[in-house]
Amino acid sequence: MRRRLAALAVCAAVIVAAACSGDAVSGVPQPPPLHPAPGASGAGDPYYPDDGNGGYDALGYQVGVTYDPPSGHLDGDTTVTARATQDLSRFDLDLRGLTVRSVDVDGQPARFGREKAHERAITPSSPIRAGATFRTRVRYDGDPAKTPHEGGSENGWQHSADGGAFMVGEPHSAAFWYPVNETPRDKATFTLTARVPAGWTVVSNGREGPPGTWTEPNPVASYLTTIAIGKFSIDKSTLPDGTPVVSAYAPGAEGHRAIGDRLPEVLGFLSAKFGPYPQSAAGGIFLNEDVHFSLETQTRPTYAKWADLPTLVHENAHEWFGDSVSLRDWSDICLNECFASYAQWLWAEREGQTLDDRYRAAIEITRGSTDFWAQKLVAMGQGHEFEGVYNKGILALHALRREIGDPAFDRLLREWPTRYRHANATWADFEAMATQISGKNLKEFFTAWFHGTTLPADADLFPGSLRS
């Protein structure tokens, strides 16, 4: 007995020593103290300062919706998986119009409220530590078609001619139908599970799973996610490398099959120019709607009723330029649209058109137009993003091609989507790469064409073979 008591006394002494020295005996480090603060209510884009949010990095969206076409009512149940980039006392998600019914963070009820037009402020039951992965489940409902939108390329939730619905928009899209960090700076994976009445079909991004389920495993900017609900005719096939192709044709749009059937040919051509197709799936959503734009929704572009073969080329070029390599700021939209537009010229060159002749003719037509040359292609100002990139942007890229020569230009078109695959990049990154690949000082050229507001001097206007 005495020996047992002695042993207990020794144990007691060890316990006391451990208590006095904290974790020095056990060797387990204590976590640093929490300093929770609210995440920023914007992601930092100067053109759209309220878009997106700070304090976390979205990793994946599991979007669940039930939609009733006759009434237009949507019930949503979406889980956002994210990693905290700071100690969070609260954070925001973007959701427009719809009514939030409940919010859970890691299974625990959280407080929530509306701030500004589309901010939903969420306060978890306990602070979230920086570096922690957390899951936010939001249940919500309403009629998304009643949510106001700004017009232009922000299309909002629209009813389709067959009684269904579709969702496309730029720069705002996702927040019309699910809670999101709505900024292209924060790309994430996307899974949709949609329930609709019998006789209706749901088409979305990525690979098709069970009916109504679509998964895009590659990171996607939220404005490039989509949903289309309709009485579609569906065509399925595969590309030579096994990539699944799903194309949907709304009633009245079946005549677009002649265009859609050329998708493998178009993707083969673009792959030869830009490198291997970077997406998990391919296809298209062909609407019978007079929307004034088509959109490069990732893996499966959405086409207006007026779409033609050059539109197919343009939107699928975006799968490299804009979708896989995404802009960081909307002021750099030329990274998307200038290149997709020039892809149409590359296709025309394949068909036998002489691009130098086409370029010179365009210069003659526009030479006297101060309005045309006043359009900036970079840092053009909020609200002016889509004014020059489709026409002046084509001429600028052709001039760049002649300035640095075909070998350097061809290498640039392949290395850009390779280096920044599934990431974000800036126009400054592109200028740096073009300079490095060409070995030329391109500062004056880029200033004249992409940052300038007047007709470039002849040396920049007619470089290389364009001088003859």
Side-chain angles (χ1 to χ4, degrees):
M1 181 69 68
R2 287 176 64 90
R3 295 180 62 167
R4 178 175 175 82
L5 289 173
L8 288 174
V10 172
C11 288
V14 172
I15 291 170
V16 170
C20 293
S21 61
D23 287 322
V25 171
S26 66
V28 178
Q30 288 283 351
L34 277 167
H35 299 288
S41 61
D45 189 318
Y47 286 10
Y48 300 94
D50 292 332
D51 283 10
N53 308 284
Y56 64 91
D57 172 24
L59 304 177
Y61 296 96
Q62 290 181 297
V63 179
V65 297
T66 300
Y67 185 71
D68 179 57
S71 68
H73 186 83
L74 180 145
D75 289 290
D77 186 347
T78 291
T79 296
V80 183
T81 301
R83 180 182 298 111
T85 57
Q86 67 174 69
D87 293 341
L88 283 172
S89 60
R90 52 163 265 191
F91 59 93
D92 291 359
L93 288 170
D94 301 314
L95 183 65
R96 298 168 179 261
L98 301 171
T99 300
V100 174
R101 299 299 180 183
S102 67
V103 177
D104 293 343
V105 177
D106 287 337
Q108 299 299 313
R111 300 199 311 273
F112 59 92
R114 181 193 296 271
E115 293 193 359
K116 302 181 182 178
H118 60 275
E119 298 282 351
R120 303 305 173 101
I122 297 168
T123 303
S125 59
S126 58
I128 301 169
R129 185 175 294 278
T133 298
F134 63 100
R135 291 168 178 80
T136 305
R137 183 179 183 183
V138 184
R139 298 176 180 88
Y140 54 100
D141 63 65
D143 184 343
K146 293 181 178 179
T147 301
H149 58 91
E150 298 174 3
S153 295
E154 181 182 278
N155 197 58
W157 184 281
Q158 296 287 320
H159 296 298
S160 52
D162 64 357
F166 63 96
M167 181 68 248
V168 289
E170 185 183 15
H172 305 125
S173 174
F176 283 96
W177 62 293
Y178 67 91
V180 62
N181 194 21
E182 191 159 52
T183 169
R185 296 183 177 197
D186 193 7
K187 300 167 71 169
T189 61
F190 174 81
T191 296
L192 170 66
T193 301
R195 297 174 179 84
V196 292
W200 296 92
T201 300
V202 175
V203 183
S204 185
N205 309 83
R207 296 192 172 217
E208 186 178 18
T213 301
W214 298 85
T215 297
E216 175 47 77
N218 294 327
V220 54
S222 59
Y223 79 96
L224 298 171
T225 64
T226 191
I227 183 172
I229 301 160
K231 304 280 189 177
F232 294 111
S233 300
I234 304 292
D235 290 350
K236 298 181 181 181
S237 61
T238 58
L239 298 178
D241 65 358
T243 300
V245 179
V246 177
S247 291
Y249 299 88
E254 295 89 351
H256 281 81
R257 275 195 170 93
I259 298 171
D261 287 348
R262 298 191 69 178
L263 179 61
E265 177 189 358
V266 167
L267 290 179
F269 169 76
L270 296 175
S271 295
K273 294 291 185 181
F274 307 148
Y277 182 65
Q279 305 296 353
S280 68
I285 301 171
F286 294 84
L287 302 174
N288 188 29
E289 308 295 329
D290 198 20
V291 186
H292 71 273
F293 62 96
S294 297
L295 187 66
E296 62 272 18
T297 43
Q298 190 157 313
T299 70
R300 196 157 287 109
T302 303
Y303 298 100
K305 66 187 300 182
W306 48 261
D308 53 13
L309 183 58
T311 307
L312 190 84
V313 173
H314 180 108
E315 301 306 337
N316 281 280
H318 275 306
E319 299 299 332
W320 286 263
F321 293 89
D323 291 19
S324 178
V325 184
S326 298
L327 50 76
R328 177 174 170 79
D329 293 325
W330 286 103
S331 61
D332 291 343
I333 189 64
C334 187
L335 292 172
N336 297 11
E337 299 301 343
C338 293
F339 290 88
S341 298
Y342 192 66
Q344 298 174 226
W345 272 37
L346 294 174
W347 180 265
E349 185 177 44
R350 171 187 184 267
E351 299 294 293
Q353 192 167 120
T354 303
L355 295 189
D356 283 1
D357 290 346
R358 184 172 181 177
Y359 174 92
R360 292 189 190 97
I363 295 299
E364 286 305 308
I365 292 171
T366 61
R367 183 186 286 275
S369 172
T370 55
D371 288 344
F372 180 88
W373 295 104
Q375 300 174 112
K376 294 182 70 176
L377 297 178
V378 178
M380 64 288 291
Q382 194 276 330
H384 301 281
E385 297 94 324
F386 301 101
E387 292 177 359
V389 289
Y390 300 103
N391 42 41
K392 183 182 176 183
I394 295 177
L395 301 181
L397 283 185
H398 191 66
L400 175 62
R401 178 181 174 183
R402 293 303 181 229
E403 174 69 24
I404 66 177
D406 275 357
F409 189 76
D410 293 346
R411 181 180 164 195
L412 184 60
L413 290 184
R414 294 179 68 87
E415 287 200 14
W416 177 257
T418 298
R419 181 178 301 182
Y420 295 101
R421 180 182 174 93
H422 299 321
N424 295 83
T426 68
W427 183 258
D429 294 327
F430 178 78
E431 288 193 7
M433 180 180 282
T435 299
Q436 182 268 320
I437 287 177
S438 68
K440 299 184 68 172
N441 184 344
L442 298 171
K443 183 176 181 180
E444 290 187 7
F445 179 91
F446 279 122
T447 297
W449 269 105
F450 293 90
H451 303 274
T453 57
T454 60
L455 180 73
D458 280 357
D460 295 317
L461 196 62
F462 297 106
S465 63
L466 291 169
R467 293 193 185 98
S468 59

